[in-house]
Amino acid sequence: MATEEKPTSTETASNETTITQILDVVARAAPEIRAGLPGRRIYAEQNNPSGETPMEADIYADEMLCERLGDLDGVGEYASEERQEVIDTGSGLSVCVDPLDGSSNLKPNNTLGTILAVYDAPLPAAGSDMVAAAYVLYGATTTMITAYDDTVTEYVVQDDGEYEAVREDVTLPEDPSVYGFGGRVPEWIDPFTEYVREVESDPSMKLRYGGSMIGDVNQVLTYGGIFAYPTLTDHPEGKLRVQFEGYPVGYILETAGGRSSDGEQSLMDVEKDGLHSRTPVYVGNEELIERLEAALDD
Ligand code: FDP
């Protein structure tokens, strides 16, 4: 029988401490990131590694999180959507950050968020290396959702960085009621379009789509339903990034009792590939994801 190297109890304990510290840094940075948004609703000068032009707010949040997370003793690597390369910060866990997901929502002043993925492996890591994930939502209030130790928790973050759990053991509601599907409709593939028409025809389902993936996923986590940024005719891999969006969102929704998929398999089983590679993303209640996979398989 092959023997896998198990972490020692000291390593496990120190990983737990580091994860707590990482979540603390992200929560405490949230009010500062939020306060820094008003003057940074303009485009930065350089494109990011995915060829998109970030807002100045993306860069601001990235620099703050890189410095503070990188300063933690137990963090060995930092990567973000805004950087081509992984930053070596010592030895320990690896963190991947989407500093401001949905930053095109800055101009119309809609919800956006910060996404965090923590891996116990060098980057790019596999879904099975994930040890915690979280996101902050800058909505009407600032909230943070964490998935760690098989539990999803929602916190409210105050202006001074203090945060308090407001919902423990968060699970997806059993009766789904919302859906949100990204990408240009003419670029959807036919089986997906047919699936969407079926979902829309259910009188208990309502459209909730804001254009910030993490805000739209939070609607699903709150009310039950399905979010997708699907395969597109010209971009079979969709738009969202595996390391920064696909894995953490899959991890959070699955920990909350839902399902995630790339159309065929759990997002957590998607090949890790390059740091900035992409995947179609489908997350939500189990029954809706099962029906979706069956529809795409036809
Ligand atoms: P944004 O470009 O505004 O940062 O991956 C980023 C993302 O937003 C997601 O949050 C969102 O779901 C998607 O892109 C929206 O992209 P399109 O408007 O290009 O469909």
Side-chain angles (χ1 to χ4, degrees):
M1 194 172 84
T3 49
E4 277 185 15
E5 246 184 59
K6 293 261 190 269
T8 64
S9 56
T10 327
E11 276 171 343
T12 310
S14 70
N15 279 356
E16 279 172 21
T17 307
T18 304
I19 291 166
T20 307
Q21 289 171 339
I22 290 169
L23 296 174
D24 188 66
V25 163
V26 172
R28 290 183 189 282
E32 288 181 65
I33 291 174
R34 185 173 190 126
L37 299 179
R40 295 183 174 85
R41 298 163 70 190
I42 49 174
Y43 288 106
E45 280 170 14
Q46 286 194 337
N47 281 0
N48 69 17
S50 301
E52 294 150 359
T53 312
M55 308 292 276
E56 286 198 354
D58 289 289
I59 309 294
Y60 173 72
D62 173 46
E63 285 174 356
M64 185 189 293
L65 291 168
C66 180
E67 191 185 321
R68 295 186 189 179
L69 291 170
D71 272 355
L72 294 175
D73 276 348
V75 171
E77 290 187 346
Y78 173 92
S80 101
E81 276 202 11
E82 309 309 334
R83 294 170 191 259
Q84 188 69 49
E85 307 290 345
V86 175
I87 310 285
D88 183 347
T89 60
S91 65
L93 299 174
S94 302
V95 291
C96 273
V97 170
D98 182 354
L100 274 185
D101 178 68
S103 51
S104 60
N105 270 357
L106 264 176
K107 283 196 171 185
N109 193 21
N110 288 328
T111 299
L112 57 158
T114 296
I115 308 175
L116 168 82
V118 186
Y119 302 97
D120 190 3
L123 299 173
S128 54
D129 296 320
M130 179 161 283
V131 288
Y135 60 84
V136 170
L137 268 193
Y138 309 99
T141 50
T142 306
T143 55
M144 180 168 81
I145 295 277
T146 63
Y148 172 49
D149 212 10
D150 291 330
T151 305
V152 174
T153 309
E154 182 182 42
Y155 299 84
V156 166
V157 184
Q158 306 294 344
D159 290 350
D160 60 2
E162 292 300 316
Y163 52 104
E164 183 189 352
V166 288
R167 279 201 298 157
E168 317 238 6
D169 294 324
V170 177
T171 52
L172 253 79
E174 276 177 24
D175 295 325
S177 62
V178 298
Y179 59 89
F181 301 125
R184 293 189 63 246
V185 177
E187 290 178 29
W188 289 352
I189 58 170
D190 290 343
F192 182 69
T193 307
E194 280 163 34
Y195 171 80
V196 173
R197 299 295 167 246
E198 208 185 286
V199 171
E200 286 171 334
S201 68
D202 179 341
S204 61
M205 297 292 282
K206 292 181 283 193
L207 171 64
R208 286 289 184 273
Y209 185 74
S212 151
M213 186 270 290
I214 204 62
D216 294 323
V217 163
N218 196 59
Q219 292 266 4
V220 170
L221 185 60
T222 308
Y223 295 117
I226 178 166
F227 167 82
Y229 204 106
T231 287
L232 300 174
T233 47
D234 289 347
H235 299 96
E237 68 293 349
K239 178 177 182 186
L240 305 179
R241 288 77 169 176
V242 178
Q243 300 281 318
F244 305 97
E245 293 163 314
Y247 285 157
V249 157
Y251 187 83
I252 293 167
L253 270 282
E254 289 191 12
T255 306
R259 274 214 42 205
S260 75
S261 178
D262 70 345
E264 291 177 2
Q265 59 183 347
S266 163
L267 285 171
M268 305 316 292
D269 295 329
V270 167
E271 284 281 316
K272 63 180 181 179
D273 225 343
L275 184 65
H276 293 280
S277 62
R278 302 174 195 254
T279 178
V281 167
Y282 310 91
V283 289
N285 287 69
E286 183 169 7
E287 189 260 339
L288 284 162
I289 299 295
E290 276 174 4
R291 268 168 51 202
L292 170 102
E293 285 182 342
L296 297 187
D297 193 34
D298 274 351

